[in-house]
Amino acid sequence: MPSVYHHGEIAVQKAVGVREEAAGVEPYIRSAMPAQHSQFFGTQNLLFIGARDASGQPWASALAGHPGFITALDSKLLALTGYRRLPGDPALLTKGSQVGGLGIEFATRRRNRVNGRVTAVRAPASADGADGDVNGSPPLLMSVDLSFGNCPKYIQVRDVKLDPSQLPPPPKQPFSPTTLLAAAAAAKGARPVSADSGGRVLRGSWAELGAAQAAIIAAADTFFIATGYNGRTKTGSDGGGAQDEDGQDVFEAGVGCDVSHRGGPPGFVRMERSAAAPDRPLLRWADFVGNNMFQTLGNLATDPRCGLLFVDWASGATLQLAGTAVVDLADRSLPGAQRTVTFQVESFVYAERGLPLAVRDDGTAYAAAVTQYSPYLPTGAPPQLPAARVWTPRDGPAVAASAASAAAAGTVDGCGGSGVLEVECVGVSWAAEGIKAFQFRLPAAPTPTSAHAYTSGQYAIFEFPTSALSSTASSPGDSALSWASSSSAATAVVNTGAAVTRTWTVTSHPAATAASGVFTLAIKRAGAVSSAMHDTLAPGAKLRLRGFDGDFTAAALLAAPLEVAVLVAGGIGITPLWAVVQALAAAAAGASTAVPKRVLLLYSVRHLPEAAFLGQLRELAAAAEAGAELNLQVLLTTTAPEPATAAPAVRRGLEAAAALAGCRGGVAEARGCRLSAELLAAALGPAGVAALANGGGAAMVCGPAGFMAATEAALVEGLGLPASRLYSESFNY
Ligand SMILES: Cc1cc2nc3c(=O)[nH]c(=O)nc-3n(C[C@H](O)[C@H](O)[C@H](O)COP(=O)(O)OP(=O)(O)OC[C@H]3O[C@@H](n4cnc5c(N)ncnc54)[C@H](O)[C@@H]3O)c2cc1C
C-alpha cells in the first residue's frame, strides 16, 4: 500500500504534484487544467459534483446542461452557466464552497476531474439552503486547484442524451464576461421549464427509504461518491516540501471536496442489515483494483462522511444518499474485491425526474441500456447473504440484486462470466530487448462473440490466478499463469474473485487473426505478471481472455481525409501505434481515400535495441519512398547514451528531422535528442505545421506519463493542434 494512502487525502498528492512540477517532472495531478481538459469540459452535458451541505456533510450530485454550459475561462477558472441542478439537492454551491467535479464521456469512457472552490456566484442563492431552483440556477465561477485524468476502467458505455426542452438555454458562445452577467440576470427571474420538470421529490432519514429507492441501488452498475478532504499539504518555500529539524515532513492545512465514479456488475452494491440496528440499511461494495492513488479511500481515512449518487438510467430518477463509510482493507469476500467499503445511510433525497434523460420514440431512455459493460468487471457470484442479513425497505419486500445474479451467471454481455475464452499460447519470440512477442490461438468453439473480435489499436484483457503475482514457477511449462481447462481450481478462483486482470495491446492485424485464429501481443517485462509471462509462458499454456476493448484505434485517423497524421510512441507505447500503422497501410493498399496523405511516426526509445517493430517500420517507410500507397515517415529518437541536452546532438537531430520534411517516406534518426515542439516542427515542415494547426491534422500519442504530457503540450500548446484532434492512450493504472 503506498504511503499516500496513510496520509490519506488528495491534498498530499497535490503537494507531490507541486514538487514534481517544480522539479520539471510532469505530475499526475496538476494545479491547472491542460488545454485538453479545458476543451473536454466544454463538451459535457453533465458534471458530477461533490459539495458539502450547511453541516459540512458531502453530497454527490450532478449538474445538467447543454454542451457548453461549462466554459474554461482559463486554465484555472471554470464558468458554469445555464445548468440545471438535481431537485432538492442539499449540496451548497455558494461563494467559498469547496467542489469536486467529474466529467465523464460515457460513450468513450473518457473522464477528467477538477477540484477547487466557488469563487463567485452571480445571483443570490435562495434562503432555504437549496441554492437555485431546478432550471434557474445562478451562474458561478469555480477556481481550479487540482486537475487530473482518470483511468476508464470500470465505466459502462451508455448513450446519455438529455432532453433539450428540460434544460435552461445554453450560454451564448463565444463566452465572455457579458455572457455571465446576462445569464445571471436570466437566472434570477427564471421559472422551471415546466412546472413538474423535477417530478416528485422525497427527503428523509434512513428509516424512510422505500422500495423505489432500494430498486435503484439493487440495479446499479454505476454510482458516484463524494468525499471531503481535510488534510495537510506538504509545502515549502521552494515548492519542494519543507522538513523540520528531525527530517520529518511539514504539512499545512488543506481542505476540499472530491467526487469519484464507481462501476461494477449490476447489483454490485449490496443492501445489508446492520447487525447493531437491524432496520438500518448498510450498503456494501467491493473496491476493485484501481489506479493506486487511493484518493477516495484516503479522504475517507481523514473524514468518514460521504455522499453517494445513484441514477436510474431508464427514468432519470436520482437518489442522493448521505452517511458515513468504513473501509475494510482485509475483506476480499466479494468478487474482485481488493477491500470492501461499507456505507451507513443517514439521510437521502430522491427525485423522480432528477436527470432529464432524452427518450426514444418508443419511450425508452437512450441511457437505459448499457451499450457495453466494462470488460474489467469481476466475474463470479457474490456470496449469498443469510436471509436475516438482507435489508428490507419499509414499504416492500427485500429487493434481490437479480441483475447481480445475472452478471454472475454470465448472462450480462461483456461482464466476463461465460464470455471468458481460454486461449492457447502458440508461439513466443523476442521482439526487442526486454520485449517478448506472444502468439495466442482463439478457440474455434464456443463461437467467439463480438467481444472477442478486435480492431487495430485495441487491447486484450486477460485474467490470471492471483498465484501469478507471486510466481514460484521454476521452469518453463511449470507456469503459475496457466489455467487448467475448466478445472475446479480455476472455477474456485473465479468465484472467490481472486483473479487479477492485465491488459496488452494486440499488435497483429485483425485480418491476419481472422484468417489464422491467432493474435499477437508484444509484452515488456515490467512487474509480477509480465515477468512471469517472460519467464514461464510457453506454447501449450492456456490463458483466460476476457475480450478486447479500447477506443485508441485507427478509426480516429480514417474518419475524414487528413493532410497529416502524427503518431508519437515512447518505448513500449509503440504497440497500438504499430497496429494503427498496419491498419493505415492496409486501408491505403485497398485504395481507401480516407487515409492521411502523410503519416509521420516519431518513435522514442532509450537506445535502438529496445525498439520493437523497427524492421517492419523501416520496410514500410522504404516502400513509401519507392511509391507505396501509404506515405509513412519514421523519425527515431534515442535518448541514450549521449546526454539528451547536448547542443550538437539536438542540432544534428533537427537537421535529420528537417530532411524528412521535404520527401516522401524514409527513416531519420535523431540520436541523443529528446522530442520537442522544435523537433516536431522540423520533421513536419511548414506545410505540415500549418495543416496541424488548421484542422488538417490529427495526432495519436502513447508512452510513459511524462513523455505523453510533454508531447501533448508540444503538439497542442507548441504547434496549435486542436485538443479535439489529439488522441492519447496511457498504459498506467
Ligand atoms: C490500454 C493498455 C495497453 C497496454 N498495452 C501494453 C502492451 O502492448 N505491451 C506492454 O508491455 N504493456 C502494455 N500495457 C501495460 C501493461 O498492462 C502493464 O505493464 C502490465 O500489466 C504490468 O503488469 P505486471 O503484473 O507485469 O506489473 P505490476 O507492476 O505487477 O502491475 C502493475 C500495477 O498496475 C496494476 N495493473 C496493471 N495492469 C492492470 C490491469 N489490466 N487492470 C488492473 N490493474 C492493473 C496492478 O494492480 C499493479 O499494481 C498496456 C496497458 C494499458 C492500460
Side-chain angles (χ1 to χ4, degrees), residues 146-539:
L146 307 177
S147 159
F148 51 107
N150 257 182
C151 90
K153 200 133 27 101
Y154 303 108
I155 297 176
Q156 336 296 357
V157 176
R158 45 168 42 96
D159 188 8
V160 180
K161 285 192 171 63
L162 301 182
D163 177 355
S165 72
Q166 297 292 314
L167 295 172
K172 287 209 168 57
Q173 302 291 344
F175 196 90
S176 74
T178 341
T179 318
L180 202 62
L181 291 175
K188 236 175 183 169
R191 293 268 58 85
V193 173
S194 70
D196 67 345
S197 62
R200 191 167 58 113
V201 178
L202 295 177
R203 295 186 184 83
S205 76
W206 59 266
E208 289 152 282
L209 275 170
Q213 293 78 46
I216 297 184
I217 300 170
D221 56 49
T222 298
F223 71 92
F224 303 89
I225 175 165
T227 50
Y229 54 96
N230 189 354
R232 294 164 303 163
T233 68
K234 193 163 65 163
T235 52
S237 51
D238 59 354
Q243 294 191 325
D244 64 18
E245 59 274 15
D246 300 326
Q248 297 298 307
D249 293 330
V250 173
F251 293 93
E252 289 174 2
V255 289
C257 214
D258 195 21
V259 67
S260 178
H261 161 278
R262 290 289 180 272
F268 76 116
V269 181
R270 292 154 66 104
M271 281 171 290
E272 304 182 357
R273 272 181 199 280
S274 152
D279 290 343
R280 196 164 188 150
L282 291 178
L283 271 49
R284 190 160 152 261
W285 65 87
D287 193 60
F288 305 134
V289 171
N291 59 5
N292 285 343
M293 299 302 278
F294 299 106
Q295 284 146 343
T296 297
L297 300 191
N299 292 345
L300 289 175
T302 66
D303 184 348
R305 292 176 302 174
C306 56
L308 311 186
L309 169 68
F310 292 87
V311 177
D312 177 346
W313 296 103
S315 68
T318 51
L319 176 65
Q320 293 175 275
L321 300 176
T324 51
V326 176
V327 182
D328 184 338
L329 294 172
D331 181 4
R332 297 193 162 206
S333 60
L334 298 177
Q338 301 298 301
R339 50 221 142 232
T340 59
V341 184
T342 304
F343 174 84
Q344 177 165 298
V345 188
E346 295 295 340
S347 58
F348 74 95
V349 178
Y350 166 78
E352 217 170 35
R353 275 198 286 280
L355 286 183
L357 297 178
V359 292
R360 296 193 174 87
D361 290 345
D362 64 3
T364 57
Y366 286 89
V370 168
T371 315
Q372 188 194 37
Y373 281 95
S374 162
Y376 290 104
L377 299 184
T379 54
Q384 283 274 319
L385 264 186
R389 291 278 314 282
V390 179
W391 178 75
T392 313
R394 82 193 141 80
D395 59 349
V399 185
S402 53
S405 356
T411 51
V412 176
D413 182 32
C415 271
S418 62
V420 176
L421 280 190
E422 205 169 66
V423 294
E424 183 181 342
C425 175
V426 291
V428 182
S429 58
W430 284 102
E433 194 178 284
I435 302 172
K436 277 189 172 180
F438 295 92
Q439 291 183 307
F440 295 95
R441 187 186 304 285
L442 288 162
T447 314
T449 67
S450 57
H452 298 112
Y454 65 91
T455 56
S456 298
Q458 287 194 313
Y459 49 85
I461 302 151
F462 287 84
E463 64 179 36
F464 297 91
T466 40
S467 53
L469 295 177
S470 53
S471 172
T472 50
S474 52
S475 60
D478 174 20
S479 174
L481 298 164
S482 296
W483 295 77
S485 176
S486 65
S487 77
S488 55
T491 311
V493 170
V494 173
N495 284 339
T496 57
V500 293
T501 52
R502 290 292 182 270
T503 305
W504 294 281
T505 312
V506 186
T507 55
S508 43
H509 190 271
T513 303
S516 64
V518 173
F519 67 93
T520 309
L521 310 176
I523 298 182
K524 182 178 169 177
R525 189 187 190 99
V529 178
S530 58
S531 298
M533 290 179 83
H534 270 239
D535 294 342
T536 67
L537 195 65

